[in-house]
Amino acid sequence: LAHLRFQETTKRLPRAMLSSFLRSSASRRTSTSLAGVLAFSISARPAASSTTTIMEGPSKGGSSKSSSHNNQQCHYSGRVFYPQDVYYDPNVKEALTRLRQRKRDDDLEAADLEKLKILNDSGDKTAATLTLIGYKGGTLDSQINQDRAMVITPYHVGKENDDPAGRRNHHDKKRNSSSSQLLGVFDGHARLGEQVSQYAVQELPNVLAKKLDNIEPKDDPQQVKKAIIDTFIEIDRTCPAEVSGGCTASVVLQRGSKLYVANAGDSRSFLVVYRSSTESVEIIYISREDKPHLADERARVEKSGGQVFLPPLGTSRVLYTDPDSGLQSGLAMSRSIGDWEVGRFGVIPDPIVEVIDVDQVVDNLLSRDCQIPEEDEAMNAACFVSSDDIHIFAVSATDGLIDFASPEVISQAVAFSLYHKDGPHLLSALEQLIYLSASGWEKAKQGRYRDDIAVSVAEIRAPRQPPRQ
């Protein structure tokens, strides 16, 4: 992994290098050779215990094992993918090892299908999510993964559940950019932060769906944006943060041709365009990290009576007194879910929401390619159909991944998996990105610390198909 290098974004994908690495024996040995990175002394490590369980959620929307959904109506449906641990869940680890030997489109034998079916809960070839528990000192059995993630595809809301046409239109990526999907990550922090992130990943889709279902006119962008903001605020108000703890929230919602990227905290989501004709990859939008030193964030914190600590090295923090220890502590972000104690000092749950029109992105790119006068509508239409090679996908990731695998590296690896005939399965690509980041943590911290890692990916758009003659 240390020798794997990616070209800068928008450049030609290094097909030979990526292909040879991701499918090489060196790559296949990665998970076993990283034992020192991940476990340090794994011989006595049992199967994942209750303290390291990532998610006991459903594979279908509305059938959650969580009791919170048992007594209330579920307002969405669709297939829900939750992350599983790439290393510490032995069955998942074995399945990923098998999958790593295959190309994305290889035919699988019955024995392989049986061994790989455990991965169906975490993804397929176009949408997936995985995680790796971190190491924060102490015994291995005491480690708790505070990261949560999900992908819901399709994400049918309210009345769409009862409308076959609505369900079909909101899951037709290849024809008219009318899919409906939801993906995101939630990075818990402080004591009991995993309870807040667990609550957020389970409740946010349902709360948001209820609000979206009540919008008139349907899917009005400004009202959808307001529904997302109100959902973050409601999850913050109702989450189990009585003592301490909080989480980031970074999500991407697709409703028809509109994408809504919402972020609170220092996790990040980004949108990527891949052009098959040039094999180029370009990040067209990335959410910012909400850090206390940013001018607008610092002004709000200080206006609320808070204090921003600016160290000579490391990240800025909002200072507060920890309710458990009574000691002064610092939160390394200026927006989050939970963190009620520091919320008195200007840390808010309100996300920054960016709206991106997929159709407009495509039109702009094709107009640049075609260079035909706008008044020649017929020529433009023909050029658009023949030149459409535009793929778009979305990524949400916690800082445990991004700190040592840049968005550019992530984009290149995901694009190679999704769009190259020799590419690995998407789950294999995410597994290798997680190991790449884990290796970075090991080198930087000499095995003393590694953050939890979680990532979610979903394909948003495939090129329009030319009309049949």
Side-chain angles (χ1 to χ4, degrees):
L1 282 171
H3 300 292
L4 180 60
R5 295 293 181 266
F6 293 83
Q7 296 180 3
E8 291 293 321
T9 182
T10 75
K11 302 298 184 183
R12 187 175 179 85
L13 272 172
R15 182 190 328 207
M17 176 163 50
L18 278 168
S19 178
S20 62
F21 176 81
L22 291 174
R23 303 191 63 245
S24 68
S25 59
S27 174
R28 292 193 292 269
R29 290 194 300 269
T30 299
S31 65
T32 53
S33 65
L34 278 173
V37 176
L38 301 180
F40 315 115
S41 56
I42 195 170
S43 58
R45 175 69 175 164
S49 66
S50 60
T51 59
T52 61
T53 295
I54 307 309
M55 193 67 199
E56 294 181 351
S59 61
K60 298 290 182 182
S63 60
S64 173
K65 296 179 182 178
S66 168
S67 60
S68 62
H69 281 298
N70 293 337
N71 299 318
Q72 67 180 34
Q73 181 182 0
C74 188
H75 296 274
Y76 74 94
S77 67
R79 187 164 192 188
V80 185
F81 295 128
Y82 291 117
Q84 300 178 87
D85 193 285
V86 300
Y87 191 87
Y88 289 112
D89 185 319
N91 295 323
V92 172
K93 180 183 175 184
E94 179 185 358
L96 287 170
T97 300
R98 284 178 172 266
L99 188 63
R100 208 182 307 131
Q101 317 301 316
R102 306 286 188 265
K103 295 180 183 178
R104 180 191 61 240
D105 295 325
D106 281 353
D107 293 329
L108 299 175
E109 299 178 357
D112 282 326
L113 290 173
E114 180 65 24
K115 290 288 186 179
L116 295 176
K117 68 180 182 180
I118 190 174
L119 300 179
N120 291 340
D121 290 337
S122 290
D124 57 26
K125 295 177 182 179
T126 62
T129 177
L130 286 173
T131 190
L132 174 66
I133 192 171
Y135 178 77
K136 296 131 189 171
T139 64
L140 293 174
D141 288 337
S142 68
Q143 305 305 307
I144 298 175
N145 192 337
Q146 295 187 306
D147 280 6
R148 299 292 186 269
M150 53 78 183
V151 180
I152 307 176
T153 179
Y155 178 57
H156 297 316
V157 171
K159 302 180 185 66
E160 294 167 7
N161 298 331
D162 305 317
D163 179 8
R167 291 199 303 271
R168 182 170 59 254
N169 290 338
H170 275 283
H171 197 47
D172 192 0
K173 290 181 288 191
K174 292 186 178 297
R175 293 176 177 82
N176 54 20
S177 299
S178 63
S179 299
S180 184
Q181 303 182 91
L182 180 67
L183 65 148
V185 294
F186 308 85
D187 183 351
H189 49 254
R191 194 173 78 85
L192 304 182
E194 69 278 4
Q195 294 186 14
V196 180
S197 59
Q198 178 82 10
Y199 180 86
V201 77
Q202 288 182 307
E203 299 300 326
L204 185 144
N206 200 47
V207 173
L208 177 58
K210 183 177 180 180
K211 295 183 186 300
L212 293 174
D213 193 35
N214 292 327
I215 288 177
E216 292 292 344
K218 183 179 175 62
D219 286 338
D220 175 74
Q222 289 306 310
Q223 292 199 55
V224 172
K225 184 175 179 179
K226 183 179 185 300
I228 295 171
I229 295 172
D230 291 346
T231 296
F232 275 55
I233 294 172
E234 181 173 334
I235 295 298
D236 172 77
R237 185 179 67 249
T238 58
C239 71
E242 291 87 350
V243 179
S244 68
C247 73
T248 69
S250 190
V251 303
V252 179
L253 169 69
Q254 181 180 13
R255 296 292 293 172
S257 67
K258 300 292 192 298
L259 296 175
Y260 303 84
V261 184
N263 193 82
D266 58 4
S267 297
R268 306 187 82 175
S269 292
F270 47 99
L271 306 174
V272 185
V273 167
Y274 171 78
R275 304 296 299 270
S276 55
S277 60
T278 58
E279 298 184 335
S280 64
V281 175
E282 180 180 2
I283 297 174
I284 60 172
Y285 176 79
I286 184 167
S287 62
R288 79 171 190 182
E289 293 181 289
D290 297 317
K291 290 296 187 179
H293 68 270
L294 298 174
D296 57 332
E297 304 297 281
R298 182 176 182 178
R300 186 185 65 251
V301 168
E302 292 179 344
K303 184 178 180 180
S304 301
Q307 180 182 352
V308 175
F309 175 61
L310 301 171
L313 296 174
T315 185
S316 57
R317 296 178 181 271
V318 180
L319 299 180
Y320 70 102
T321 301
D322 185 275
D324 286 329
S325 65
L327 301 175
Q328 189 175 58
S329 187
L331 182 66
M333 62 197 72
S334 52
R335 298 174 188 242
S336 70
I337 304 295
D339 295 308
W340 292 347
E341 188 66 25
V342 72
R344 298 185 296 113
F345 302 117
V347 174
I348 60 175
D350 309 46
I352 294 175
V353 183
E354 187 71 21
V355 185
I356 295 95
D357 189 319
V358 172
D359 289 344
Q360 189 62 54
V361 169
V362 172
D363 288 348
N364 289 344
L365 290 171
L366 294 180
S367 295
R368 185 182 67 188
D369 294 345
C370 292
Q371 296 182 338
I372 297 172
E374 291 184 5
E375 59 269 17
D376 195 339
E377 295 183 3
M379 287 292 291
N380 267 304
C383 179
F384 275 29
V385 170
S386 62
S387 303
D388 188 357
D389 66 340
I390 298 170
H391 303 258
I392 300 176
F393 60 89
V395 180
S396 296
T398 60
D399 61 347
L401 180 70
I402 294 177
D403 281 355
F404 291 98
S406 71
E408 291 78 17
V409 166
I410 296 168
S411 299
Q412 295 276 13
V414 171
F416 183 72
S417 167
L418 289 174
Y419 306 123
H420 281 271
K421 63 181 179 65
D422 293 328
H425 193 284
L426 180 57
L427 284 165
S428 294
L430 298 188
E431 177 199 24
Q432 294 305 305
L433 285 168
I434 288 173
Y435 285 145
L436 174 66
S437 187
S439 178
W441 281 102
E442 165 69 9
K443 293 174 183 176
K445 302 296 183 180
Q446 290 79 50
R448 296 187 298 270
Y449 179 86
R450 183 185 70 253
D451 202 1
D452 303 322
I453 297 171
V455 58
S456 295
V457 171
E459 185 180 33
I460 298 297
R461 183 193 188 272
R464 300 184 183 110
Q465 300 300 308
R468 293 183 179 179
Q469 301 298 322

